[in-house]
Amino acid sequence: MRPATEAELAGIIEGAEGPLAITGGGTRRLGTARGARLETGGLSGISLYEPGALTLVVKAGTPLAEVEATLDAEGQRLPFEAPDLRGLLGRTGQSTIGGVVATNASGPRRVQAGACRDSLIGVRFVDGTGTVIRNGGRVMKNVTGYDLVKLVAGSRGALGVLTEVAFKLLPKPETRTSLRIDGLSDAAAVAAMASALTSPFDVTGAAHWPGRGTFLRIEGFAASVAYRRAELQRRLAGFGAVDVAVDDPWPAIRDVAPFHDAAGDVWRLSTVPSEAAALAARAGADQVLYDWGGGLVWLRLAEGTDLRARLGPFQGHATLVRSASALQRFQPEPAPIAALTKGLRAKFDPRGLFSVEI
Amino acid sequence: MDMPLPDPSVLSRRARIWDRLAAALPADALITDPTETRAYECDALTAYRCLPLAVTLPRSTEEAAAILRICSEEGVKVIPRGAGTSLAGGSLPTADAVILGVARMNAVLETDYDNRFIRVQSGRTNLSVTGAVEADGFFYAPDPSSQLACAIAGNIGMNSGGAHCLKYGVTTNNLLGVTLVTMAGEVLTIGGPYLDAGGLDLLGVICGSEGQLGVVTEAWLRILPKPEGARPVLMGFASNEVAGACVSDIIKGGLLPVAIEFMDRPCIVATEAFAHAGYPDCEALLIVEVEGSPAEIDDQLARIKTIATRHNPVAYREAATEDEAKRIWLGRKSAFGAMGQMGDYICLDGTIPVSELAHVLRRIGELTASYGLRVANVFHAGDGNMHPLIIFDANKAGDLELAEALGADILRLCVEVGGCLTGEHGVGVEKRDLMHVQFSAADMEAQLRVKDVFDPAWLLNPAKVFPLDVTASRRAA
Ligand SMILES: Cc1cc2nc3c(=O)[nH]c(=O)nc-3n(C[C@H](O)[C@H](O)[C@H](O)COP(=O)(O)OP(=O)(O)OC[C@H]3O[C@@H](n4cnc5c(N)ncnc54)[C@H](O)[C@@H]3O)c2cc1C
């Protein structure tokens, strides 16, 4: 099913007799989807774009590439640098903006510009009863009523099908540069990234790619970038030689490219940066990639390894992103939180049509 | 503005409820004497007042949980309260409700620079969070003008903003986790000192829920390294239209100032008379502030000047010294005080798309004239968050009602042009009855479902945010 309008979509959901597998571009789903395939690609197009107000309203099925090209033409961008997970997950297809929102997909710039949910200012969605619900709007500051915008972002379609989303945007920087420190241990790399992120020099990316180097990104007006580059080089000198990186490493870091062609399960840890290196060591992974200054750790392990059991309790959570095993994808929640999740799902989807794991 | 009649069954069990609370709390944590509870009869929306059944001031999460458990068992409503500076009546009590105030919970629990967070008890004031990390070169970004008094608890309750949120975002963008006590007295940890909590974004919906989903007793907040410096520039324009166009061009020019503040003529005249900041005589005035090293600031201000010059400013003043910077901000910071000199005022805070600025200011002028009242506008122009101040005379019969009616018309206008009723102050009781202007029945029902899940008995701050008729069946159940 591929409805062309929100009303048609609402009708399909209202009349549904069993589970629905909501599909944008099919590039980000984790695990299997049960039910009749319901595609959002028919709900496509930009509803409103005001560069002077840094605002974009777009239908949920619009390809991400189309959104990015439109903004690029005005020298603007989505602040949160959504990753492209096709290479990692072995998918083809076109990522849609609705899928980006439903998974709160956020890349390296998250340390400075926030996640997808932080740029999201409005949604329209259809809940499990077929009712259209609007929340937020098209203005940046809005505290009118509860913030369901945040609740729906990252909910993986468990509460409803997004039909339209609104963002606040940022201007694209005039220039950018990346610094690289070679040969740091994981722990030293996290310390170097912490030093950079606690400086006033507005770092927009801090990642450690073992074997390739520790990378820091600075963006802005040319003179300012040159100034901050020199300041950071001075500040970090104690960690080793701080060179300007020749190639732009950020698309590869964003998309977890180092793991693309390697076999095994891929896990994603969200944690406190200072614990990242010890956690990675405890995991005994075949390969590791640190982003967000160490707050995000990608791990590759032998298929079927129960990483959560291996790590024991830690600050944060682990998601199994790629695996053929039957292990649970998402970290089990403490009972009282799980009860709230269950309660909310039952309210928004009383018939259990949206049977995704979250 | 109506409030529901107090629950007679609760009033008749008053003594028993006091006894149970007294047995669970240290003596100084429970106030029942009306001469002392009077201090809690209202928040900063002082037009509405009511003495609560009791005031409780716990010192720990455990004490807060005990209070909530007792109130839950007794079917008593609870009004969470931070510092009581809400402009929307968010912490206004009812006669059958117990206030749970977190003001005594103000400790810093943990500071971690390498991981860029601070954990505090929620009664800590906004400014003292920055105060705790400032000496080490850090700050907490959301900065409501009330930051000396308001508490993190209320900031989370209202998802408060501030002058610098154009660059740094509002409370929700700087909140990492909370300890939340449910109405049933259960203590939950939601989020934590990391960027990405798993599962549904419960933290996102708790922030800004106006004390209706749970009581926040502790919070993990993101702290940031302080910028090297900041400098404002002041510019005057011949009309609101031109000033509005200049704002839009600055944004389009790829600049991201930390603040773009806008004042219209009535506001300029009033603040000038009050604070003598030396503002130019003009129709509209912008204060734009940028951050960075001295050279970075020079570079950004040069770009801003090029843009502003295209709009023929009637005045353009860059702060060359710290003292000049202070003078530029002096008028803006005294704007509310200046209004206070002119009479009583209501402060609205609807948001509009930036592109509608000139149109909305013109319509506000027309509406104001038709009511025979005066309005001054001072607001965060970069993000469209208006603050029309309606001046009235509280001693004149009917004037408050007139001002409220004008306020409602202005907020309807904000929604009509694509904006919203409130950008940072919250709905409370003040804008409760206008919610249907912005939301359909289905939009509101979706929000009520969230409260049904967190607070099934509808005892937490229940007469706020949504029109009473919309919530009547739930509150009665
Ligand atoms: C002069 C002045 C200037 C202001 N400037 C600004 C500004 O620039 N920006 C801005 O956004 N606001 C501003 N405000 C409004 C106000 O200061 C904010 O809304 C502030 O966040 C309220 O904090 P508080 O601690 O006083 O909260 P309160 O007034 O005590 O409560 C506010 C809301 O939060 C809820 N709440 C309180 N504590 C808790 C808790 N522990 N758990 C759950 N919910 C809780 C309450 O029930 C209520 O709904 C201003 C107010 C004044 C008087």
Side-chain angles (χ1 to χ4, degrees), chain A residues 50 110 117-118 127 134 141 143 146 224 227 268 270 274 317, chain B residues 115 173 195-196 201 212 228 296 351 355 424 438 443 449:
Chain A
E50 272 187 16
R110 174 161 198 183
R117 58 87 97 174
D118 294 298
D127 74 2
R134 218 168 30 102
K141 271 175 80 186
V143 298
Y146 296 166
S224 159
Y227 164 75
R268 182 183 184 280
S270 176
S274 61
H317 62 99
Chain B
N115 293 311
N173 311 113
L195 288 180
D196 198 14
D201 191 351
Q212 294 197 310
E228 286 178 89
E296 287 178 298
T351 307
S355 48
E424 57 181 19
Q438 189 175 329
D443 297 339
R449 288 172 185 165

PDB file of all heavy atoms in Angstrom, chain A residues 50 110 117-118 127 134 141 143 146 224 227 268 270 274 317, chain B residues 115 173 195-196 201 212 228 296 351 355 424 438 443 449:
ATOM      1  N   GLU A  50      11.409  28.508   4.097  1.00  0.00           N
ATOM      2  CA  GLU A  50      11.701  29.934   4.253  1.00  0.00           C
ATOM      3  C   GLU A  50      13.146  30.107   4.713  1.00  0.00           C
ATOM      4  O   GLU A  50      13.431  30.065   5.914  1.00  0.00           O
ATOM      5  CB  GLU A  50      10.766  30.555   5.299  1.00  0.00           C
ATOM      6  CG  GLU A  50       9.469  31.052   4.729  1.00  0.00           C
ATOM      7  CD  GLU A  50       8.640  31.817   5.761  1.00  0.00           C
ATOM      8  OE1 GLU A  50       9.190  32.223   6.801  1.00  0.00           O
ATOM      9  OE2 GLU A  50       7.443  31.987   5.499  1.00  0.00           O
ATOM     10  N   ARG A 110      26.296  15.987  16.250  1.00  0.00           N
ATOM     11  CA  ARG A 110      25.433  15.976  17.428  1.00  0.00           C
ATOM     12  C   ARG A 110      26.106  16.602  18.653  1.00  0.00           C
ATOM     13  O   ARG A 110      25.435  17.203  19.492  1.00  0.00           O
ATOM     14  CB  ARG A 110      25.029  14.544  17.771  1.00  0.00           C
ATOM     15  CG  ARG A 110      24.262  14.513  19.051  1.00  0.00           C
ATOM     16  CD  ARG A 110      23.463  13.305  19.267  1.00  0.00           C
ATOM     17  NE  ARG A 110      22.484  13.609  20.298  1.00  0.00           N
ATOM     18  CZ  ARG A 110      21.649  12.761  20.788  1.00  0.00           C
ATOM     19  NH1 ARG A 110      21.626  11.542  20.321  1.00  0.00           N
ATOM     20  NH2 ARG A 110      20.801  13.109  21.724  1.00  0.00           N
ATOM     21  N   ARG A 117      16.122  15.212  16.927  1.00  0.00           N
ATOM     22  CA  ARG A 117      14.988  15.674  17.744  1.00  0.00           C
ATOM     23  C   ARG A 117      15.150  17.112  18.214  1.00  0.00           C
ATOM     24  O   ARG A 117      14.175  17.794  18.496  1.00  0.00           O
ATOM     25  CB  ARG A 117      14.725  14.723  18.913  1.00  0.00           C
ATOM     26  CG  ARG A 117      15.863  14.492  19.879  1.00  0.00           C
ATOM     27  CD  ARG A 117      15.936  15.492  20.980  1.00  0.00           C
ATOM     28  NE  ARG A 117      15.326  15.063  22.216  1.00  0.00           N
ATOM     29  CZ  ARG A 117      15.393  15.774  23.340  1.00  0.00           C
ATOM     30  NH1 ARG A 117      16.108  16.899  23.383  1.00  0.00           N
ATOM     31  NH2 ARG A 117      14.780  15.372  24.425  1.00  0.00           N
ATOM     32  N   ASP A 118      16.393  17.590  18.308  1.00  0.00           N
ATOM     33  CA  ASP A 118      16.608  18.970  18.742  1.00  0.00           C
ATOM     34  C   ASP A 118      16.303  19.975  17.633  1.00  0.00           C
ATOM     35  O   ASP A 118      16.041  21.141  17.920  1.00  0.00           O
ATOM     36  CB  ASP A 118      18.047  19.144  19.233  1.00  0.00           C
ATOM     37  CG  ASP A 118      18.317  18.349  20.500  1.00  0.00           C
ATOM     38  OD1 ASP A 118      17.661  18.645  21.514  1.00  0.00           O
ATOM     39  OD2 ASP A 118      19.140  17.426  20.473  1.00  0.00           O
ATOM     40  N   ASP A 127      -2.138   8.199  14.145  1.00  0.00           N
ATOM     41  CA  ASP A 127      -1.963   7.184  15.189  1.00  0.00           C
ATOM     42  C   ASP A 127      -2.668   5.882  14.795  1.00  0.00           C
ATOM     43  O   ASP A 127      -3.228   5.765  13.711  1.00  0.00           O
ATOM     44  CB  ASP A 127      -2.426   7.714  16.555  1.00  0.00           C
ATOM     45  CG  ASP A 127      -3.951   7.800  16.665  1.00  0.00           C
ATOM     46  OD1 ASP A 127      -4.663   7.419  15.704  1.00  0.00           O
ATOM     47  OD2 ASP A 127      -4.439   8.251  17.718  1.00  0.00           O
ATOM     48  N   ARG A 134      -1.531  16.647  15.243  1.00  0.00           N
ATOM     49  CA  ARG A 134      -0.569  17.692  14.931  1.00  0.00           C
ATOM     50  C   ARG A 134       0.068  18.137  16.235  1.00  0.00           C
ATOM     51  O   ARG A 134      -0.626  18.306  17.233  1.00  0.00           O
ATOM     52  CB  ARG A 134      -1.350  18.878  14.359  1.00  0.00           C
ATOM     53  CG  ARG A 134      -0.736  19.635  13.237  1.00  0.00           C
ATOM     54  CD  ARG A 134      -1.799  20.569  12.639  1.00  0.00           C
ATOM     55  NE  ARG A 134      -2.781  21.000  13.617  1.00  0.00           N
ATOM     56  CZ  ARG A 134      -2.784  22.201  14.206  1.00  0.00           C
ATOM     57  NH1 ARG A 134      -1.880  23.100  13.904  1.00  0.00           N
ATOM     58  NH2 ARG A 134      -3.703  22.514  15.100  1.00  0.00           N
ATOM     59  N   LYS A 141      10.451  28.493  18.718  1.00  0.00           N
ATOM     60  CA  LYS A 141      10.187  28.460  20.153  1.00  0.00           C
ATOM     61  C   LYS A 141       8.712  28.243  20.377  1.00  0.00           C
ATOM     62  O   LYS A 141       7.882  29.040  19.957  1.00  0.00           O
ATOM     63  CB  LYS A 141      10.667  29.740  20.819  1.00  0.00           C
ATOM     64  CG  LYS A 141      12.121  29.589  21.234  1.00  0.00           C
ATOM     65  CD  LYS A 141      12.687  30.830  21.789  1.00  0.00           C
ATOM     66  CE  LYS A 141      12.308  31.056  23.245  1.00  0.00           C
ATOM     67  NZ  LYS A 141      12.787  32.378  23.678  1.00  0.00           N
ATOM     68  N   VAL A 143       6.207  26.256  23.397  1.00  0.00           N
ATOM     69  CA  VAL A 143       6.010  25.377  24.556  1.00  0.00           C
ATOM     70  C   VAL A 143       4.516  25.195  24.813  1.00  0.00           C
ATOM     71  O   VAL A 143       4.091  24.946  25.932  1.00  0.00           O
ATOM     72  CB  VAL A 143       6.727  25.912  25.818  1.00  0.00           C
ATOM     73  CG1 VAL A 143       8.229  25.969  25.600  1.00  0.00           C
ATOM     74  CG2 VAL A 143       6.201  27.292  26.214  1.00  0.00           C
ATOM     75  N   TYR A 146       1.960  19.700  25.494  1.00  0.00           N
ATOM     76  CA  TYR A 146       3.072  18.756  25.664  1.00  0.00           C
ATOM     77  C   TYR A 146       3.867  18.626  24.366  1.00  0.00           C
ATOM     78  O   TYR A 146       3.309  18.721  23.278  1.00  0.00           O
ATOM     79  CB  TYR A 146       2.552  17.369  26.037  1.00  0.00           C
ATOM     80  CG  TYR A 146       1.835  17.266  27.353  1.00  0.00           C
ATOM     81  CD1 TYR A 146       1.078  16.134  27.640  1.00  0.00           C
ATOM     82  CD2 TYR A 146       1.909  18.270  28.308  1.00  0.00           C
ATOM     83  CE1 TYR A 146       0.410  16.002  28.838  1.00  0.00           C
ATOM     84  CE2 TYR A 146       1.250  18.146  29.516  1.00  0.00           C
ATOM     85  CZ  TYR A 146       0.495  17.010  29.776  1.00  0.00           C
ATOM     86  OH  TYR A 146      -0.168  16.873  30.956  1.00  0.00           O
ATOM     87  N   SER A 224      38.042  32.635  11.051  1.00  0.00           N
ATOM     88  CA  SER A 224      37.740  32.059  12.355  1.00  0.00           C
ATOM     89  C   SER A 224      38.204  30.602  12.425  1.00  0.00           C
ATOM     90  O   SER A 224      38.761  30.164  13.436  1.00  0.00           O
ATOM     91  CB  SER A 224      36.231  32.191  12.602  1.00  0.00           C
ATOM     92  OG  SER A 224      35.810  31.278  13.561  1.00  0.00           O
ATOM     93  N   TYR A 227      41.927  30.549  12.869  1.00  0.00           N
ATOM     94  CA  TYR A 227      42.282  30.908  14.234  1.00  0.00           C
ATOM     95  C   TYR A 227      42.070  29.730  15.192  1.00  0.00           C
ATOM     96  O   TYR A 227      42.951  29.368  15.982  1.00  0.00           O
ATOM     97  CB  TYR A 227      41.440  32.113  14.676  1.00  0.00           C
ATOM     98  CG  TYR A 227      41.432  32.345  16.160  1.00  0.00           C
ATOM     99  CD1 TYR A 227      42.537  32.898  16.807  1.00  0.00           C
ATOM    100  CD2 TYR A 227      40.318  31.986  16.929  1.00  0.00           C
ATOM    101  CE1 TYR A 227      42.531  33.089  18.173  1.00  0.00           C
ATOM    102  CE2 TYR A 227      40.305  32.175  18.295  1.00  0.00           C
ATOM    103  CZ  TYR A 227      41.405  32.727  18.919  1.00  0.00           C
ATOM    104  OH  TYR A 227      41.407  32.914  20.263  1.00  0.00           O
ATOM    105  N   ARG A 268      25.985  -0.648  18.957  1.00  0.00           N
ATOM    106  CA  ARG A 268      26.133   0.787  19.141  1.00  0.00           C
ATOM    107  C   ARG A 268      25.911   1.075  20.622  1.00  0.00           C
ATOM    108  O   ARG A 268      24.850   0.749  21.171  1.00  0.00           O
ATOM    109  CB  ARG A 268      25.021   1.433  18.310  1.00  0.00           C
ATOM    110  CG  ARG A 268      24.967   2.913  18.282  1.00  0.00           C
ATOM    111  CD  ARG A 268      23.711   3.261  17.449  1.00  0.00           C
ATOM    112  NE  ARG A 268      23.601   4.685  17.257  1.00  0.00           N
ATOM    113  CZ  ARG A 268      23.125   5.509  18.170  1.00  0.00           C
ATOM    114  NH1 ARG A 268      22.711   5.052  19.335  1.00  0.00           N
ATOM    115  NH2 ARG A 268      23.063   6.799  17.921  1.00  0.00           N
ATOM    116  N   SER A 270      25.702   3.869  23.662  1.00  0.00           N
ATOM    117  CA  SER A 270      25.611   5.266  24.043  1.00  0.00           C
ATOM    118  C   SER A 270      26.029   5.330  25.497  1.00  0.00           C
ATOM    119  O   SER A 270      25.466   4.630  26.340  1.00  0.00           O
ATOM    120  CB  SER A 270      24.165   5.727  23.889  1.00  0.00           C
ATOM    121  OG  SER A 270      24.050   7.039  24.350  1.00  0.00           O
ATOM    122  N   SER A 274      34.012   9.215  29.234  1.00  0.00           N
ATOM    123  CA  SER A 274      35.172   8.754  29.998  1.00  0.00           C
ATOM    124  C   SER A 274      35.118   7.254  30.288  1.00  0.00           C
ATOM    125  O   SER A 274      36.110   6.673  30.710  1.00  0.00           O
ATOM    126  CB  SER A 274      35.300   9.543  31.298  1.00  0.00           C
ATOM    127  OG  SER A 274      34.145   9.348  32.074  1.00  0.00           O
ATOM    128  N   HIS A 317      23.332   2.643  27.193  1.00  0.00           N
ATOM    129  CA  HIS A 317      22.615   1.486  26.670  1.00  0.00           C
ATOM    130  C   HIS A 317      23.248   0.994  25.385  1.00  0.00           C
ATOM    131  O   HIS A 317      24.000   1.717  24.727  1.00  0.00           O
ATOM    132  CB  HIS A 317      21.141   1.828  26.448  1.00  0.00           C
ATOM    133  CG  HIS A 317      20.932   2.914  25.450  1.00  0.00           C
ATOM    134  ND1 HIS A 317      20.587   2.672  24.148  1.00  0.00           N
ATOM    135  CD2 HIS A 317      21.048   4.248  25.552  1.00  0.00           C
ATOM    136  CE1 HIS A 317      20.497   3.823  23.500  1.00  0.00           C
ATOM    137  NE2 HIS A 317      20.769   4.795  24.322  1.00  0.00           N
TER     138      HIS A 317
ATOM    139  N   ASN B 115      33.095  15.049  30.918  1.00  0.00           N
ATOM    140  CA  ASN B 115      31.894  14.518  30.262  1.00  0.00           C
ATOM    141  C   ASN B 115      30.824  15.592  30.088  1.00  0.00           C
ATOM    142  O   ASN B 115      29.719  15.304  29.649  1.00  0.00           O
ATOM    143  CB  ASN B 115      31.356  13.327  31.056  1.00  0.00           C
ATOM    144  CG  ASN B 115      32.320  12.158  31.002  1.00  0.00           C
ATOM    145  OD1 ASN B 115      32.770  11.786  29.920  1.00  0.00           O
ATOM    146  ND2 ASN B 115      32.673  11.607  32.152  1.00  0.00           N
ATOM    147  N   ASN B 173      16.882  21.240  24.991  1.00  0.00           N
ATOM    148  CA  ASN B 173      18.094  20.939  24.232  1.00  0.00           C
ATOM    149  C   ASN B 173      19.329  20.847  25.121  1.00  0.00           C
ATOM    150  O   ASN B 173      20.415  20.505  24.644  1.00  0.00           O
ATOM    151  CB  ASN B 173      18.332  22.009  23.153  1.00  0.00           C
ATOM    152  CG  ASN B 173      17.089  22.289  22.338  1.00  0.00           C
ATOM    153  OD1 ASN B 173      16.515  23.371  22.400  1.00  0.00           O
ATOM    154  ND2 ASN B 173      16.643  21.296  21.605  1.00  0.00           N
ATOM    155  N   LEU B 195      24.404  11.338  25.944  1.00  0.00           N
ATOM    156  CA  LEU B 195      23.612  12.128  25.006  1.00  0.00           C
ATOM    157  C   LEU B 195      22.319  11.444  24.590  1.00  0.00           C
ATOM    158  O   LEU B 195      21.347  12.083  24.233  1.00  0.00           O
ATOM    159  CB  LEU B 195      24.437  12.409  23.742  1.00  0.00           C
ATOM    160  CG  LEU B 195      25.568  13.416  23.906  1.00  0.00           C
ATOM    161  CD1 LEU B 195      26.292  13.596  22.590  1.00  0.00           C
ATOM    162  CD2 LEU B 195      25.024  14.749  24.397  1.00  0.00           C
ATOM    163  N   ASP B 196      22.334  10.123  24.608  1.00  0.00           N
ATOM    164  CA  ASP B 196      21.340   9.403  23.871  1.00  0.00           C
ATOM    165  C   ASP B 196      20.668   8.386  24.773  1.00  0.00           C
ATOM    166  O   ASP B 196      21.267   7.374  25.080  1.00  0.00           O
ATOM    167  CB  ASP B 196      22.126   8.679  22.759  1.00  0.00           C
ATOM    168  CG  ASP B 196      21.256   8.230  21.639  1.00  0.00           C
ATOM    169  OD1 ASP B 196      20.116   8.683  21.577  1.00  0.00           O
ATOM    170  OD2 ASP B 196      21.730   7.420  20.836  1.00  0.00           O
ATOM    171  N   ASP B 201      11.392   8.798  23.794  1.00  0.00           N
ATOM    172  CA  ASP B 201      11.994  10.004  24.377  1.00  0.00           C
ATOM    173  C   ASP B 201      11.073  10.564  25.470  1.00  0.00           C
ATOM    174  O   ASP B 201      10.423  11.592  25.302  1.00  0.00           O
ATOM    175  CB  ASP B 201      12.224  11.025  23.269  1.00  0.00           C
ATOM    176  CG  ASP B 201      13.091  12.205  23.703  1.00  0.00           C
ATOM    177  OD1 ASP B 201      13.374  12.322  24.914  1.00  0.00           O
ATOM    178  OD2 ASP B 201      13.465  13.000  22.832  1.00  0.00           O
ATOM    179  N   GLN B 212       2.704  18.278  35.260  1.00  0.00           N
ATOM    180  CA  GLN B 212       1.523  17.418  35.167  1.00  0.00           C
ATOM    181  C   GLN B 212       1.854  15.937  35.037  1.00  0.00           C
ATOM    182  O   GLN B 212       0.945  15.103  35.074  1.00  0.00           O
ATOM    183  CB  GLN B 212       0.663  17.839  33.978  1.00  0.00           C
ATOM    184  CG  GLN B 212       0.047  19.223  34.159  1.00  0.00           C
ATOM    185  CD  GLN B 212      -1.111  19.449  33.208  1.00  0.00           C
ATOM    186  OE1 GLN B 212      -0.987  19.223  32.007  1.00  0.00           O
ATOM    187  NE2 GLN B 212      -2.245  19.874  33.739  1.00  0.00           N
ATOM    188  N   GLU B 228      35.080  32.812  24.301  1.00  0.00           N
ATOM    189  CA  GLU B 228      36.177  33.702  24.702  1.00  0.00           C
ATOM    190  C   GLU B 228      35.686  35.102  25.017  1.00  0.00           C
ATOM    191  O   GLU B 228      36.222  35.786  25.867  1.00  0.00           O
ATOM    192  CB  GLU B 228      37.222  33.759  23.585  1.00  0.00           C
ATOM    193  CG  GLU B 228      38.038  32.492  23.498  1.00  0.00           C
ATOM    194  CD  GLU B 228      39.034  32.566  22.361  1.00  0.00           C
ATOM    195  OE1 GLU B 228      40.146  33.042  22.589  1.00  0.00           O
ATOM    196  OE2 GLU B 228      38.673  32.165  21.239  1.00  0.00           O
ATOM    197  N   GLU B 296      37.503  37.223  15.791  1.00  0.00           N
ATOM    198  CA  GLU B 296      36.299  36.587  15.260  1.00  0.00           C
ATOM    199  C   GLU B 296      35.092  37.515  15.401  1.00  0.00           C
ATOM    200  O   GLU B 296      34.236  37.600  14.522  1.00  0.00           O
ATOM    201  CB  GLU B 296      36.022  35.274  16.007  1.00  0.00           C
ATOM    202  CG  GLU B 296      36.975  34.153  15.668  1.00  0.00           C
ATOM    203  CD  GLU B 296      36.674  32.904  16.479  1.00  0.00           C
ATOM    204  OE1 GLU B 296      36.764  32.954  17.719  1.00  0.00           O
ATOM    205  OE2 GLU B 296      36.329  31.879  15.874  1.00  0.00           O
ATOM    206  N   THR B 351       4.757  33.093  19.743  1.00  0.00           N
ATOM    207  CA  THR B 351       5.824  33.084  18.732  1.00  0.00           C
ATOM    208  C   THR B 351       5.197  33.181  17.348  1.00  0.00           C
ATOM    209  O   THR B 351       4.108  32.651  17.107  1.00  0.00           O
ATOM    210  CB  THR B 351       6.657  31.790  18.820  1.00  0.00           C
ATOM    211  OG1 THR B 351       7.106  31.622  20.151  1.00  0.00           O
ATOM    212  CG2 THR B 351       7.853  31.843  17.894  1.00  0.00           C
ATOM    213  N   SER B 355       9.219  35.861   9.310  1.00  0.00           N
ATOM    214  CA  SER B 355       8.791  36.591   8.110  1.00  0.00           C
ATOM    215  C   SER B 355       7.513  37.406   8.338  1.00  0.00           C
ATOM    216  O   SER B 355       7.178  38.273   7.549  1.00  0.00           O
ATOM    217  CB  SER B 355       8.574  35.595   6.973  1.00  0.00           C
ATOM    218  OG  SER B 355       7.791  34.510   7.428  1.00  0.00           O
ATOM    219  N   GLU B 424       7.802  30.397  25.491  1.00  0.00           N
ATOM    220  CA  GLU B 424       8.675  29.996  26.605  1.00  0.00           C
ATOM    221  C   GLU B 424       8.026  30.082  27.985  1.00  0.00           C
ATOM    222  O   GLU B 424       8.526  29.477  28.914  1.00  0.00           O
ATOM    223  CB  GLU B 424       9.997  30.798  26.588  1.00  0.00           C
ATOM    224  CG  GLU B 424       9.815  32.311  26.637  1.00  0.00           C
ATOM    225  CD  GLU B 424      11.146  33.084  26.603  1.00  0.00           C
ATOM    226  OE1 GLU B 424      12.157  32.504  26.185  1.00  0.00           O
ATOM    227  OE2 GLU B 424      11.150  34.258  27.007  1.00  0.00           O
ATOM    228  N   GLN B 438      -5.290  26.874  18.892  1.00  0.00           N
ATOM    229  CA  GLN B 438      -4.128  26.260  18.247  1.00  0.00           C
ATOM    230  C   GLN B 438      -4.319  24.774  17.958  1.00  0.00           C
ATOM    231  O   GLN B 438      -3.741  24.258  17.003  1.00  0.00           O
ATOM    232  CB  GLN B 438      -2.892  26.474  19.131  1.00  0.00           C
ATOM    233  CG  GLN B 438      -1.600  26.059  18.460  1.00  0.00           C
ATOM    234  CD  GLN B 438      -0.388  26.404  19.316  1.00  0.00           C
ATOM    235  OE1 GLN B 438      -0.382  27.379  20.061  1.00  0.00           O
ATOM    236  NE2 GLN B 438       0.655  25.594  19.213  1.00  0.00           N
ATOM    237  N   ASP B 443      -5.849  16.771  18.547  1.00  0.00           N
ATOM    238  CA  ASP B 443      -4.485  17.153  18.959  1.00  0.00           C
ATOM    239  C   ASP B 443      -4.381  17.188  20.476  1.00  0.00           C
ATOM    240  O   ASP B 443      -3.373  16.780  21.055  1.00  0.00           O
ATOM    241  CB  ASP B 443      -4.128  18.557  18.433  1.00  0.00           C
ATOM    242  CG  ASP B 443      -4.107  18.629  16.916  1.00  0.00           C
ATOM    243  OD1 ASP B 443      -3.973  17.571  16.272  1.00  0.00           O
ATOM    244  OD2 ASP B 443      -4.231  19.753  16.387  1.00  0.00           O
ATOM    245  N   ARG B 449      -3.685  11.777  26.615  1.00  0.00           N
ATOM    246  CA  ARG B 449      -3.340  10.361  26.755  1.00  0.00           C
ATOM    247  C   ARG B 449      -2.021  10.198  27.499  1.00  0.00           C
ATOM    248  O   ARG B 449      -1.833   9.238  28.237  1.00  0.00           O
ATOM    249  CB  ARG B 449      -3.123   9.744  25.372  1.00  0.00           C
ATOM    250  CG  ARG B 449      -4.336   9.529  24.551  1.00  0.00           C
ATOM    251  CD  ARG B 449      -3.816   9.101  23.174  1.00  0.00           C
ATOM    252  NE  ARG B 449      -4.898   8.962  22.219  1.00  0.00           N
ATOM    253  CZ  ARG B 449      -4.682   8.886  20.907  1.00  0.00           C
ATOM    254  NH1 ARG B 449      -3.447   8.950  20.436  1.00  0.00           N
ATOM    255  NH2 ARG B 449      -5.692   8.743  20.090  1.00  0.00           N
TER     256      ARG B 449
END
